[in-house]
């Protein structure tokens, strides 16, 4: 029979892998008697693990959620993955850096030497894209309140700072049905149905101050685009969310090899026309923005279409000539 401590860890590991475990099957897996399983379950309960027994022909045990956080058990891969995630938490935009650092220190202390060495040699530095203004930190309490409302499908009332000069006049509270809490580019957003405007909105979480209590429960709506990723991508491309395509898309021919152009475009379609010539189909949120992006290739350009793109190049040419 294995030592009691090793057997307890094995039992806990089994309980974490599935919802319900018949007592007889646990005894068979651990190669012990059902009586020993009952004693080991009692020991785990004393350590703080909320293990409940269920009745029936195959009566057994399940590991439920409790009121306190008991000691946790991770395998090697889980421990390494958790350590990496905690290092990356500093770039999440949520105000959890100190908590993540303490958690990583706690995990490292109880790791076996082989894992501690792997973690100590792995240093991850998350570097965000530089911005003119640093992204604001999000209060973790606000994140938890919004997440709870999304999970419970309860309407929200909240104050929202638009970022514009309102002359000191407080805006009325917003009313919305929260559907998703997402992060993009280091910022957090709430995707919700605006009850006053009767349309979908993406609210910046750093501008939200929730009001308590929350409102009545609601039935979730179907999000345009099918998925939250497609909807958010479309919104940031200037679309209403029903289409993930850019609102402005044009086609040009560049006097550059396709291998060079494809290296510097992430979402464009590049077609080789010769050793030093290619066709590029690219999208943007505006025609001027699209012309500017294409001009960055520093090559002769032949505009295939549409006419709006040709007009945008003409406007930029006049503007640059005056400059």
């Amino acid at each position: 029979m294995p030592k009691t401590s090793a057997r307890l860890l094995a039992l806990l590991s089994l309980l974490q892998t599935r919802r319900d475990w018949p007592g007889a099957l646990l005894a068979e897996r651990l190669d012990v008697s059902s009586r020993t399983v009952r004693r080991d379950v009692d020991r785990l309960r004393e350590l703080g693990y909320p293990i409940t027994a269920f009745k029936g022909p195959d009566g057994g045990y399940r590991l439920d959620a409790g009121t306190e956080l008991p000691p946790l058990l991770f395998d090697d891969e889980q421990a390494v993955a958790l350590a990496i995630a905690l290092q990356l938490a500093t770039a999440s935009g949520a105000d959890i850096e100190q908590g993540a650092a303490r958690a990583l220190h706690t995990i490292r202390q109880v790791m076996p030497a082989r894992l501690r060495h792997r973690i100590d040699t792995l240093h991850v530095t998350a570097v965000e894209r530089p911005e003119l203004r640093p992204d604001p930190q999000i209060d973790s309490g606000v994140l938890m309140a919004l997440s709870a409302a999304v999970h419970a499908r309860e309407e929200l009332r909240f104050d929202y700072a638009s970022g514009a000069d309102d002359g000191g006049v407080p805006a009325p509270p917003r009313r919305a049905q929260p559907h998703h809490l997402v992060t993009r580019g280091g910022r957090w957003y709430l995707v919700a149905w605006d009850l006053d405007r009767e349309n979908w909105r993406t609210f910046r979480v750093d501008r939200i101050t929730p009001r308590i209590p929350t409102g009545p429960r609601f039935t979730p709506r179907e999000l345009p685009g099918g998925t939250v990723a497609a909807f958010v991508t479309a919104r940031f491309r200037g679309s209403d969310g029903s289409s993930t395509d850019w609102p402005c898309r044009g086609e040009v021919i560049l006097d550059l090899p396709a291998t060079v152009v494809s290296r510097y475009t992430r979402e464009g379609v590049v077609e080789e026309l010769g050793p030093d010539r290619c066709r590029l189909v690219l999208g943007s949120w505006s025609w001027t923005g699209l012309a500017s992006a294409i001009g960055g290739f520093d090559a002769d350009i032949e505009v295939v279409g549409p006419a709006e793109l040709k007009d945008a190049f003409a406007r930029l040419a006049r503007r640059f000539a005056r400059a």
Side-chain angles (χ1 to χ4, degrees), residues 233-303:
T233 298
R235 279 301 173 97
F236 279 93
R237 289 181 175 181
S239 173
D240 60 0
S242 59
S243 172
T244 59
D245 200 3
W246 291 103
C248 302
R249 181 172 291 274
E251 180 179 341
V252 298
I253 295 177
L254 299 174
D255 287 347
L256 280 176
T259 54
V260 174
V261 175
S262 61
R263 193 183 308 157
Y264 297 103
T265 178
R266 296 177 57 186
E267 299 181 347
V269 178
V270 183
E271 177 188 358
E272 184 177 14
L273 299 179
D276 297 308
R277 193 172 171 83
C278 69
R279 185 191 312 274
L280 172 64
V281 179
L282 192 64
S284 180
W285 59 273
S286 73
W287 293 112
T288 304
L290 178 57
S292 299
I294 296 173
F297 284 102
D298 192 20
D300 288 340
I301 303 167
E302 176 187 340
V303 179

Side-chain angles (χ1 to χ4, degrees), residues 3-307:
K3 294 182 179 179
T4 302
S5 57
R7 195 176 64 245
L8 288 178
L9 290 176
L11 173 58
L12 182 57
S13 180
L14 290 174
L15 290 171
Q16 289 175 328
T17 59
R18 56 185 284 181
R19 174 66 175 169
D20 295 332
W21 274 96
L25 184 56
L26 282 175
E28 179 183 345
R29 288 290 188 92
L30 297 171
D31 194 20
V32 296
S33 66
S34 297
R35 182 179 179 183
T36 300
V37 171
R38 289 194 296 271
R39 287 202 302 264
D40 288 348
V41 166
D42 290 337
R43 292 189 180 99
L44 289 176
R45 287 169 175 164
E46 292 174 358
L47 293 174
Y49 291 96
I51 302 174
T52 59
F54 59 88
K55 299 180 179 180
D58 297 323
Y61 306 93
R62 70 168 60 99
L63 182 62
D64 289 332
T67 57
E68 297 181 354
L69 186 66
L72 302 178
L73 176 66
F74 300 104
D75 59 29
D76 290 8
E77 291 184 356
Q78 289 175 320
V80 173
L82 183 58
I84 294 174
L86 289 171
Q87 291 189 50
L88 292 176
T90 57
S92 66
D95 188 18
I96 57 173
E97 288 87 349
Q98 293 185 0
R102 293 198 306 270
L104 181 59
H105 178 71
T106 301
I107 292 174
R108 184 190 175 280
Q109 281 186 312
V110 297
M111 278 185 174
R114 66 181 189 280
L115 289 183
R116 191 181 305 119
H117 176 71
R118 292 175 63 183
I119 295 302
D120 290 344
T121 58
L122 176 64
H123 295 282
V124 181
T125 302
V127 179
E128 287 294 292
R129 182 179 59 191
E131 302 285 353
L132 295 178
R133 292 176 295 179
D135 291 333
Q137 289 291 305
I138 307 300
D139 188 332
S140 58
V142 173
L143 283 178
M144 294 302 295
L146 297 182
S147 179
V150 170
H151 179 74
R153 301 299 187 194
E154 293 177 344
E155 293 181 3
L156 272 176
R157 293 175 66 248
F158 57 91
D159 296 315
Y160 191 67
S162 64
D165 185 8
D166 54 11
V169 179
R174 307 292 288 268
R175 299 185 309 118
Q177 296 174 342
H179 281 66
H180 301 279
L181 190 62
V182 301
T183 178
R184 183 183 187 273
R187 283 182 173 173
W188 289 82
Y189 298 90
L190 178 69
V191 177
W193 175 264
D194 193 312
L195 291 168
D196 295 321
R197 292 159 178 79
E198 296 187 349
N199 202 350
W200 290 99
R201 290 289 189 273
T202 53
F203 298 98
R204 278 179 48 174
V205 172
D206 60 288
R207 296 177 177 176
I208 292 178
T209 303
R211 291 198 175 195
I212 305 299
T214 54
R217 294 176 62 88
F218 64 89
T219 302
R221 300 170 183 265
E222 184 177 353
L223 197 64
T227 66
V228 62
F231 173 80
V232 172
T233 298
R235 279 301 173 97
F236 279 93
R237 289 181 175 181
S239 173
D240 60 0
S242 59
S243 172
T244 59
D245 200 3
W246 291 103
C248 302
R249 181 172 291 274
E251 180 179 341
V252 298
I253 295 177
L254 299 174
D255 287 347
L256 280 176
T259 54
V260 174
V261 175
S262 61
R263 193 183 308 157
Y264 297 103
T265 178
R266 296 177 57 186
E267 299 181 347
V269 178
V270 183
E271 177 188 358
E272 184 177 14
L273 299 179
D276 297 308
R277 193 172 171 83
C278 69
R279 185 191 312 274
L280 172 64
V281 179
L282 192 64
S284 180
W285 59 273
S286 73
W287 293 112
T288 304
L290 178 57
S292 299
I294 296 173
F297 284 102
D298 192 20
D300 288 340
I301 303 167
E302 176 187 340
V303 179
V304 178

